[in-house]
Amino acid sequence: MTTASIDRSALQARRNVWEMAQEQLDDVAKLIGLSEGIHLYLRQPKRVLEVSVPVRMDDGRIRIFTGYRVQHNMSRGPAKGGIRFHPDVTLDEVKALAMWMTWKCALVNIPFGGAKGGVICDPKAMSPQELEHLTRRFTSEISIIIGPEKDIPAPDVYTTPQIMAWIMDTFSMQKGYSIPGVVTGKPLAIGGSLGRDKATARGCLYVVDEAMKTLQLQVEGARVAIQGFGNAGMHAATLMAERGYRIVAASDSRGGVANQKGLDVRGLVAHKSETGSVVGFGGGEPMSNKDVLECDCDVLVPAALEKVITQENASKIRAKIVAEAANGPTLPEADRILHERGVMVLPDILANAGGVTVSYFEWVQDLQENFWEEDEINERLKRKITRAFREAYDQAKRHGVDMRTGAYAVAVDRVAEATKLRGLYP
Ligand code: NAD
């Protein structure tokens, strides 16, 4: 590696994710001729809450954690977005993720605005009891702005259905009665929805299927590499393998494993649940996280964290389709390189919108106290996500731009219309 390339990757790693989100909006604002006032309005979050979260740890000491809840836009309905527990959470990251939620909800045309939350913590180093205390106190601190009609959290990186159950219980205890609609991604026993656990991955599968059809590629045996083996990545591997795709590489935070003949996904899932990682799985060769991105495959699914596809590695990506199960994995510079090279990038706001779509179904079921069958949920999801793909693709063709810009054109236009119709208060 030359000094220049080291400097460049260091620079890209520091690339501010909030500026990146704003830049994506600026590009589309020009394209669709957004008025200056609405553009400036949409460039900033509506509301930002920072909270201190004191927690008594198992050894009796008190630790103070910092948490955030950001509501980007609520013109189309209550805000919606996950909560992330991770040591690298920053306010700028939460702001970017909240803005992306606004576009995502608008793209799949569900009546929600965008929000996101995060707590700076290392959940892997905390006991279940410490995690419960952290979750309950954080919920209590943000309870002034959340609620089924205001802002509805959900799972994200390192937050689980159990954590959603604690959020639901804490909020309900404060109000004095059960309020399942305050959070989605809950366990089934307390008002969760069938199909929610696999919804992000299932939506990703439907979108990749549409892209394969559009590019006239054959699904059977198409090679898929997946970075990140959690809720999004692991279920994507399972569902895609069932559909006939061949999973040739998979990784998590500790490293990866690869086999061009195809990994035994069921065995890999069992290995991950026994050992906590895909590393050491016998059915393939070890592969680094970096190499998973650049490996020989037809479809690449980044399903971990942001900013992994950069100016450095974009020219080395061999996939024909990149399906962003993760939020924000591709830097704008890398987007341009991939577009020029003819790689179809299915943007996060489309490729991982299955999660929020079934979260919307969960919220509707909670409010109606009437629960649907899983087939019906998957069918409704397929209709919504396939329509979103077509609308984004049509805009991309019409303007001669990539799929991200096409998807943004649809979404930003919808949010702008709602914002304009409602007018400026007072
Ligand atoms: P998760 O906590 O279930 O899984 C995260 C996975 O990423 C784990 O396997 C972890 O080991 C891996 N990982 C962490 N750091 C890594 C690194 N540096 N390199 C490689 N792998 C790494 O989280 P999740 O819910 O699957 O979320 C993953 C991504 O999908 C995030 O970007 C999230 O915002 C996005 N997403 C999730 C949902 C959802 O419903 N869960 C919905 C939409 C988008």
Side-chain angles (χ1 to χ4, degrees):
M1 214 183 246
T2 63
T3 321
S5 71
I6 292 169
D7 286 344
R8 216 167 36 232
S9 24
L11 212 91
Q12 283 169 347
R14 282 203 304 271
R15 186 82 155 73
N16 182 301
V17 70
W18 171 233
E19 285 169 12
M20 173 177 144
Q22 288 182 312
E23 206 176 297
Q24 290 166 341
L25 171 64
D26 297 343
D27 284 349
V28 84
K30 247 185 260 156
L31 184 78
I32 64 171
L34 201 63
S35 74
E36 196 192 355
I38 299 278
H39 180 192
L40 291 175
Y41 185 91
L42 297 179
R43 245 181 147 257
Q44 298 300 333
K46 173 183 174 65
R47 195 175 280 145
V48 173
L49 178 64
E50 176 176 327
V51 294
S52 293
V53 189
V55 176
R56 193 179 304 281
M57 306 302 278
D58 290 348
D59 64 5
R61 281 182 311 159
I62 290 175
R63 272 192 63 188
I64 311 292
F65 296 87
T66 302
Y68 307 101
R69 185 73 187 170
V70 174
Q71 295 168 342
H72 170 256
N73 187 282
M74 295 161 91
S75 296
R76 289 171 41 87
K80 187 85 190 78
I83 291 176
R84 179 173 292 196
F85 284 181
H86 196 279
D88 299 337
V89 163
T90 62
L91 177 56
D92 275 349
E93 180 187 62
V94 182
K95 280 160 69 176
L97 289 162
M99 183 191 259
W100 289 329
M101 284 307 298
T102 302
W103 313 142
K104 197 179 299 182
C105 294
L107 177 64
V108 286
N109 214 355
I110 54 180
F112 285 144
K116 204 79 183 189
V119 179
I120 307 169
C121 65
D122 181 4
K124 288 186 185 174
M126 295 171 74
S127 72
Q129 197 178 333
E130 289 169 341
L131 262 183
E132 179 174 351
H133 289 160
L134 174 75
T135 304
R136 287 187 181 278
R137 184 61 188 250
F138 177 62
T139 305
S140 176
E141 295 299 337
I142 65 167
S143 65
I144 49 173
I145 60 166
I146 64 169
E149 311 84 12
K150 294 198 267 185
D151 178 359
I152 307 124
D156 192 70
V157 176
Y158 297 153
T159 50
T160 58
Q162 174 63 74
I163 291 176
M164 300 306 114
W166 290 328
I167 294 176
M168 179 271 201
D169 185 68
T170 306
F171 192 80
S172 299
M173 283 295 145
Q174 288 188 347
K175 302 286 170 185
Y177 57 99
S178 289
I179 309 178
V182 66
V183 70
T184 60
K186 300 179 292 295
L188 282 179
I190 53 166
S193 174
L194 289 167
R196 175 61 186 90
D197 52 346
K198 296 199 179 91
T200 302
R202 193 177 292 281
C204 186
L205 166 72
Y206 292 152
V207 170
V208 172
D209 277 353
E210 281 305 303
M212 295 288 284
K213 219 191 304 171
T214 307
L215 299 177
Q216 296 179 328
L217 297 171
Q218 200 187 331
V219 165
E220 196 59 44
R223 295 158 311 155
V224 179
I226 301 180
Q227 188 197 51
F229 213 67
N231 178 289
M234 186 171 71
H235 289 313
T238 305
L239 293 174
M240 291 181 94
E242 280 170 10
R243 177 86 174 81
Y245 292 89
R246 184 159 30 120
I247 312 302
V248 294
S251 68
D252 58 31
S253 59
R254 294 192 217 158
V257 59
N259 183 346
Q260 273 293 320
K261 290 198 186 115
L263 293 162
D264 161 23
V265 173
R266 221 183 265 183
L268 186 60
V269 169
H271 179 82
K272 167 97 184 170
S273 72
E274 273 159 34
T275 67
S277 174
V278 297
V279 172
F281 178 61
E285 298 298 318
M287 183 178 263
S288 73
N289 248 311
K290 175 178 169 291
D291 289 345
V292 167
L293 295 173
E294 297 168 18
C295 80
D296 198 6
C297 63
D298 302 301
V299 182
L300 173 65
V301 183
L305 297 171
E306 300 93 46
K307 302 188 287 184
V308 292
I309 304 180
T310 64
Q311 199 172 352
E312 281 289 285
N313 62 10
S315 54
K316 298 184 198 141
I317 281 170
R318 293 195 252 176
K320 300 177 189 77
I321 296 172
V322 175
E324 295 183 338
N327 284 306
T330 312
L331 290 174
E333 304 77 62
D335 252 338
R336 290 190 261 280
I337 297 170
L338 291 170
H339 185 53
E340 275 161 23
R341 292 184 51 226
V343 178
M344 185 188 263
V345 177
L346 301 169
D348 43 13
I349 64 167
L350 174 64
N352 69 36
V356 76
T357 304
V358 177
S359 271
Y360 165 59
F361 298 158
E362 180 175 333
W363 177 78
V364 169
Q365 293 171 82
D366 287 337
L367 296 190
Q368 296 179 343
E369 296 174 336
N370 177 16
F371 290 84
W372 312 340
E373 298 296 331
E374 188 162 0
D375 285 356
E376 186 183 346
I377 288 163
N378 293 344
E379 200 40 53
R380 283 174 186 256
L381 168 63
K382 190 173 190 174
R383 272 206 301 275
K384 278 213 162 286
I385 213 110
T386 310
R387 182 176 303 161
F389 176 93
R390 284 284 137 218
E391 287 171 334
Y393 186 74
D394 290 349
Q395 285 298 313
K397 282 269 138 205
R398 187 178 145 214
H399 294 291
V401 293
D402 60 13
M403 279 292 281
R404 186 183 318 279
T405 316
Y408 265 62
V410 177
V412 174
D413 193 51
R414 280 190 184 138
V415 179
E417 189 193 359
T419 308
K420 253 185 274 169
L421 282 169
R422 290 182 61 157
L424 207 55
Y425 175 85

